[in-house]
């Protein structure tokens, strides 16, 4: 007897029913909703939607942009003329400095120091203005006396005097409670006022070195030419603008430093040993770059005060601050280059 073969024999009970198309068994449980939705294609932008909003934001950005500050040509020419006269006066006065007869040059430097203190305090308006003004004047006189009377022509005594002057000015500002609140904010301006007058006194110290008078002529000529050319170039074409709020151009800054270096190299060819055109060019380059950068920093500081809403000081005082700062920074640079290069 043969065993009967059924149609269900050897069939996997879990296999899918071939009668169902696609090979999937019919669902017997409740229907389960899913988050999947059939795609309906890209949505169209509503009228006046995000596209119009982007246009409105672009218009708002255009309205917020402020036009650059106008460059006043006559003012730039006047500042350049003042820088040329100041440099010429210092160079000519330095030629009168000889051993045992330095009083004329010292008086000229003292006058420039007094102008520096007056201008810087009136523009920056530090707390306890009278104290800072008095300390700056006393420091200037003391620095000139030390520069003339010291046994050796070194910067160390002037550095000690500068530190003492800054400490005296800060302590004077701490006396009153009203001024005490602003001491931290005005520390930089107070230190700049005192250090500036001491920096100018290095010219007297430099005149005591054998090649110092010639170094003063080269460096201050380069600085004066650089400042003058930079301002005149700004009057002609202040381009490219370094900042919209600052009426200065990069062409004037770079061109002034280059012309100042060229003039110092030409001047070095007519001076005696140890000067050469190459050494004079190196010394003049440093002095010219330091001077124009100091002048540019003053312009940025002035723009910052105007943007902060501070009431500007006297017109003439504000605009002679740049050349004064340039020559004050060029003086110690000339001393250092004389020691290093010559």
């Amino acid at each position: 007897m043969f065993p009967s073969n059924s149609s269900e024999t050897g069939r996997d009970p879990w296999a899918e029913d071939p009668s169902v198309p696609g090979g999937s068994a019919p669902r017997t449980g409740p229907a389960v909703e899913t988050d999947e939705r059939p795609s309906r294609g890209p949505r169209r932008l509503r009228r006046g939607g995000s596209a119009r909003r982007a246009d409105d934001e672009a218009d708002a950005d255009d309205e917020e942009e402020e036009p650059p500050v106008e460059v006043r040509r006559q003012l730039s020419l006047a500042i350049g003329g003042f820088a040329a006269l100041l440099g010429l006066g210092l160079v000519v006065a330095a030629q009168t400095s000889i051993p045992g007869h330095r009083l004329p040059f010292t008086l000229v430097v003292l006058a420039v120091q007094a102008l520096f203190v007056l201008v810087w305090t009136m523009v920056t308006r530090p707390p306890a203005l009278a104290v800072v003004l008095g300390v700056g004047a006393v420091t200037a006189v003391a620095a000139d006396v030390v520069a003339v009377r010291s046994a050796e022509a070194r910067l160390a005594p002037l550095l000690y005097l500068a530190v003492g002057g800054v400490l005296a000015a800060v302590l004077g500002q701490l006396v009153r409670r009203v001024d005490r609140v602003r001491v931290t904010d005005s520390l930089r301006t107070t230190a700049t006022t005192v250090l500036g007058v001491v920096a100018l006194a290095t010219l007297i110290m430099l005149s005591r070195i054998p090649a110092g008078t010639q170094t003063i002529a080269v460096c201050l000529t380069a600085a004066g030419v650089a400042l003058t050319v930079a301002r005149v170039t700004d009057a002609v074409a202040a381009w490219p603008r370094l900042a919209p709020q600052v009426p200065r151009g990069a062409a004037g800054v770079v061109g002034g430093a280059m012309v100042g270096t060229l003039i110092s190299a030409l001047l070095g060819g007519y001076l005696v040993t140890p000067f050469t055109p190459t050494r004079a060019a190196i010394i003049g380059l440093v002095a010219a770059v330091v001077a124009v950068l100091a002048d540019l920093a003053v312009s940025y500081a002035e723009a910052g005060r105007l943007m902060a809403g501070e009431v500007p000081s006297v017109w003439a005082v504000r605009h002679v601050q740049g050349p004064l700062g340039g020559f004050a920074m060029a003086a110690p640079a000339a001393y250092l280059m004389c020691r290093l290069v010559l």
Side-chain angles (χ1 to χ4, degrees), residues 179-203:
D179 301 329
R180 196 181 308 159
V181 179
R182 298 176 50 203
V183 168
T184 304
D185 298 335
S186 65
L187 180 60
R188 181 179 58 184
T189 58
T190 303
T192 304
T193 304
V194 178
L195 294 176
V197 295
V198 176
L200 288 169
T202 58
L203 294 175

Side-chain angles (χ1 to χ4, degrees), residues 246-307:
V246 181
R248 302 295 303 274
V253 175
V254 177
M258 294 176 63
V259 175
T261 305
L262 176 62
I263 296 300
S264 63
L266 295 176
L267 187 59
Y270 295 95
L271 298 177
V272 297
T273 307
F275 271 93
T276 61
T278 302
R279 291 180 176 179
I282 295 174
I283 296 175
L285 172 63
V286 174
V289 170
V290 170
V292 294
L293 290 182
D295 185 22
L296 182 63
V298 170
S299 300
Y300 270 90
E302 177 66 19
R305 285 189 293 267
L306 294 178
M307 292 178 63

Side-chain angles (χ1 to χ4, degrees), residues 313-325:
S313 56
V314 182
W315 178 85
V317 172
R318 287 187 289 120
H319 298 300
V320 300
Q321 185 185 14
L324 285 173

Side-chain angles (χ1 to χ4, degrees), residues 27-164:
R27 296 180 180 178
T28 58
V32 180
E33 296 182 359
T34 60
D35 295 336
E36 297 180 358
R37 295 181 180 179
S39 60
R40 299 179 182 177
R43 296 183 179 180
R44 297 181 179 179
L45 295 176
R46 297 180 180 178
R47 295 182 179 180
S50 59
R52 181 177 297 177
R53 189 178 305 167
D55 296 338
D56 295 341
E57 292 178 357
D59 296 339
D61 294 340
D62 295 339
E63 293 177 357
E64 292 178 358
E65 293 181 358
E66 297 181 358
V69 178
E70 182 182 0
V71 179
R72 301 164 64 180
R73 295 184 177 181
Q74 295 182 354
L75 178 60
S76 297
L77 293 175
I79 297 174
F82 173 76
L85 292 177
L86 181 59
L88 180 62
L90 289 172
V91 170
V92 172
Q95 306 308 312
T96 64
S97 179
I98 58 176
H101 188 68
R102 307 186 190 278
L103 183 60
F105 184 46
T106 303
L107 292 178
V108 172
V109 173
L110 182 61
V112 177
Q113 289 172 320
L115 182 61
F116 182 91
V117 173
L118 182 63
V119 167
W120 222 267
T121 52
M122 291 184 64
V123 172
T124 58
R125 297 174 184 174
L129 189 145
V131 174
V132 177
L133 187 62
V135 171
V138 172
T139 305
V141 175
D144 293 345
V145 172
V146 170
V148 174
R149 296 292 184 180
S150 60
E152 298 180 3
R154 297 188 307 170
L155 287 183
L158 294 180
L159 292 177
Y160 299 149
L161 187 60
V163 174

